[in-house]
Amino acid sequence: MSKPTDSDLRAAYQDLYDHLDDAYWAATTIEAKDKIRGISEVVSDLLTDMNQADLSLRTEQYLSLKKSIKGVNKNLDKLKKEIDDIIKKVKLARQILNVIDKALDTAAKFFV
Amino acid sequence: MKKYLINRLMFLVVLSILAVGCASTDSAKKIKAFSDATVLTTQNTINAFDVVERKYYDSQVAKITANYDTDGFNPNSIERFLEPPQIEARIQVLNGLQKYSEKLSVIMGNEQLDEFDEETRKLGESLTKVNNSFAKNNILSAAPFDSNQIQIFTTAVNALGRWFIEHKREEGVKKSVGEMQGNVGIICELFAKDIGTVGQTGLREQLWRSYSDIMKAQDAFILQNKDTLDPIAKRDEIKYLASLVIDQKKADETLKSVQKALEQLKETHSKLNEAFSDNTIEIDNLIKQLKDEGRRIKKFYESLEK
């Protein structure tokens, strides 16, 4: 017989929890209900531990994804900056024209 | 003849601006809609973790209340379901995805193009001013260019610049979408796994069990105090117990819908570059579905808060 896997163990505990849940609602005395609830709480805590462990396994993958997304977002920032630079060039041309206009005005006053 | 050629040229320039403008506005709208739907989906996914965490806390409080007479209270018995570094890693990925979609929308949006239009308009004004200055200041007997030529020049600068910006951003956005294809697929699959299935693993299992634990603890509380509770208080406690049955199903449906939305997000993103094509029926439908699902889930969360 092969050794049970983590998922077999989890399934067995889950099955036990579900049966205890049914048993709790079927029980007719407070004493019986209290006993079943006590065991059910222990099994529930075990299932929570297993769930936490399962979710923790994926945390590392999220951390490496974070880096990858950061790279793509940086490229998008770069693209936005490149477009901004095109606008800046037109702005610069306008500023140069304004300086030329001012120089023409000053020169005209000087030579008059 | 010269005037005729100038008019023809003006007509072509204006036509090209209009053509570029229409195509851009259309794909920009789709990217913006995709971005809005993505923000909604990522927010709903973050809320899923929050709901599970809060319900896990409620289940611990319900157990403490039901067992207080025998076990008393121990502050160490209150624990988080997920430790901050685990939840933080997930939130950062979802925030990164959200930022990515928002950046796409900003780049495809009209803000930069409007700024460019404004700058070229001002450039035209400055050119006219300098042109007139030559004559005004007696440097030349007449302005070197007539106003029509300046208008043609600035319109051409605007049209070429717009075309260049349009081309650059479309290529850039398409490239980034391509680069993110694998990431978005993995993100959606991982979160769908995190949400899991009732009776197996994941958030849905945890949430379902938290409700089951709360129901048993609440029932035990009522049984322990049935002789001391006044009729109104007793009725309220029983009413709360009954409402948990409905809430459990509603909360699970919500998480199930988040899972579905994540699948839709993956599919929509895989076809996002169709937003730049002529045939956008499929991508339009996918974005609409994603947005509708996101809104529906948001409403679910709001009803759970009540």
Side-chain angles (χ1 to χ4, degrees):
Chain A
M1 195 178 151
S2 61
K3 202 180 158 195
T5 61
D6 285 352
S7 114
D8 292 335
L9 191 64
R10 215 216 158 275
Y13 278 124
Q14 183 69 54
D15 197 36
L16 177 61
Y17 179 84
D18 291 342
H19 279 96
L20 286 167
D21 199 53
D22 291 342
Y24 177 86
W25 296 110
T28 49
T29 64
I30 295 179
E31 292 75 23
K33 277 181 181 282
D34 278 348
K35 273 182 193 159
I36 297 166
R37 193 168 54 84
I39 305 165
S40 171
E41 282 179 7
V42 174
V43 178
S44 181
D45 287 345
L46 280 168
L47 286 168
T48 297
D49 288 347
M50 288 179 182
N51 227 353
Q52 286 165 334
D54 185 59
L55 284 154
S56 301
L57 285 176
R58 284 189 284 277
T59 303
E60 205 54 47
Q61 280 172 279
Y62 284 110
L63 290 172
S64 64
L65 272 169
K66 194 182 107 186
K67 283 180 199 159
S68 187
I69 299 168
K70 222 175 177 178
V72 177
N73 280 343
K74 259 190 185 168
N75 287 343
L76 285 171
D77 286 338
K78 211 175 130 196
L79 176 66
K80 189 179 179 293
K81 202 188 160 291
E82 280 169 11
I83 297 169
D84 279 337
D85 285 346
I86 299 169
I87 300 165
K88 267 185 200 159
K89 275 173 192 158
V90 179
K91 203 174 184 173
L92 187 66
R94 180 171 60 82
Q95 281 165 352
I96 292 168
L97 280 171
N98 287 344
V99 172
I100 292 171
D101 188 50
K102 214 173 170 185
L104 286 176
D105 245 10
T106 315
K109 277 175 200 157
F110 185 79
F111 290 112
V112 165
Chain B
M1 184 65 183
K2 193 183 162 195
K3 204 167 181 183
Y4 171 76
L5 282 172
I6 289 172
N7 283 341
R8 292 285 293 175
L9 183 64
M10 280 285 282
F11 176 72
L12 285 171
V13 165
V14 170
L15 205 67
S16 68
I17 292 174
L18 287 175
V20 167
C22 288
S24 130
T25 312
D26 213 28
S27 49
K29 272 184 193 164
K30 290 178 203 325
I31 299 287
K32 166 91 173 67
F34 169 77
S35 171
D36 291 346
T38 304
V39 171
L40 213 50
T41 308
T42 51
Q43 200 49 54
N44 285 335
T45 311
I46 293 174
N47 285 345
F49 284 89
D50 191 44
V51 164
V52 173
E53 197 65 59
R54 275 189 288 131
K55 216 30 88 180
Y56 181 60
Y57 171 80
D58 289 349
S59 75
Q60 291 178 90
V61 173
K63 285 176 196 174
I64 290 168
T65 310
N67 300 331
Y68 190 79
D69 288 347
T70 50
D71 300 347
F73 178 72
N74 178 358
N76 295 328
S77 61
I78 301 275
E79 287 173 342
R80 288 183 61 92
F81 172 59
L82 281 179
E83 289 305 315
Q86 299 203 28
I87 194 77
E88 202 49 42
R90 286 161 170 84
I91 288 175
Q92 280 173 352
V93 167
L94 290 168
N95 284 344
L97 184 60
Q98 201 169 312
K99 267 190 196 157
Y100 157 74
S101 72
E102 284 168 344
K103 280 177 198 291
L104 290 184
S105 175
V106 167
I107 289 171
M108 288 306 297
N110 285 330
E111 208 174 290
Q112 284 180 308
L113 278 181
D114 289 347
E115 202 185 334
F116 180 74
D117 287 347
E118 181 62 12
E119 282 305 326
T120 46
R121 189 188 62 76
K122 283 182 185 167
L123 178 73
E125 279 175 7
S126 296
L127 266 174
T128 309
K129 220 171 146 197
V130 172
N131 192 40
N132 294 338
S133 280
F134 280 106
K136 192 185 84 186
N137 296 323
N138 299 319
I139 295 164
L140 294 173
S141 56
F145 305 103
D146 68 45
S147 60
N148 230 3
Q149 284 172 308
I150 291 177
Q151 204 183 341
I152 291 168
F153 173 75
T154 47
T155 312
V157 167
N158 183 273
L160 280 170
R162 262 183 165 262
W163 176 84
F164 188 66
I165 292 172
E166 288 292 341
H167 178 73
K168 198 165 185 57
R169 68 183 195 174
E170 192 176 316
E171 287 304 303
V173 165
K174 275 183 182 171
K175 194 176 161 229
S176 294
V177 169
E179 281 170 2
M180 269 298 270
Q181 220 60 273
N183 286 337
V184 173
I186 297 170
I187 291 169
C188 293
E189 281 164 24
L190 278 178
F191 278 107
K193 261 189 200 168
D194 272 0
I195 294 171
T197 314
V198 173
Q200 288 180 23
T201 53
L203 300 185
R204 282 179 63 198
E205 195 282 318
Q206 192 64 39
L207 187 61
W208 187 270
R209 191 157 38 77
S210 289
Y211 271 104
S212 299
D213 287 349
I214 295 170
M215 277 190 257
K216 289 194 282 279
Q218 174 68 9
D219 183 60
F221 174 80
I222 296 168
L223 288 171
Q224 286 158 9
N225 299 287
K226 65 177 196 276
D227 299 328
T228 50
L229 284 169
D230 69 70
I232 304 291
K234 194 172 169 181
R235 185 195 63 188
D236 287 346
E237 294 299 334
I238 295 168
K239 209 171 159 185
Y240 171 60
L241 177 60
S243 73
L244 288 168
V245 180
I246 308 292
D247 287 352
Q248 184 182 42
K249 287 183 183 131
K250 210 156 120 181
D252 181 55
E253 274 304 313
T254 308
L255 295 201
K256 208 173 158 185
S257 299
V258 175
Q259 247 172 343
K260 194 181 156 202
L262 285 163
E263 274 171 37
Q264 282 176 338
L265 175 62
K266 184 183 160 187
E267 197 188 346
T268 309
H269 186 266
S270 74
K271 295 188 174 144
L272 193 58
N273 277 341
E274 282 180 17
F276 300 100
S277 72
D278 294 333
N279 186 0
T280 61
I281 297 168
E282 195 180 4
I283 188 72
D284 285 342
N285 277 336
L286 285 169
I287 293 172
K288 193 186 172 300
Q289 279 170 19
L290 186 62
K291 216 169 177 177
D292 289 349
E293 191 69 19
R295 284 198 192 118
R296 207 169 60 82
I297 298 166
K298 198 171 171 240
K299 267 190 193 161
F300 261 136
Y301 280 126
E302 284 163 0
S303 72
L304 284 177
E305 296 287 324
K306 283 173 194 164

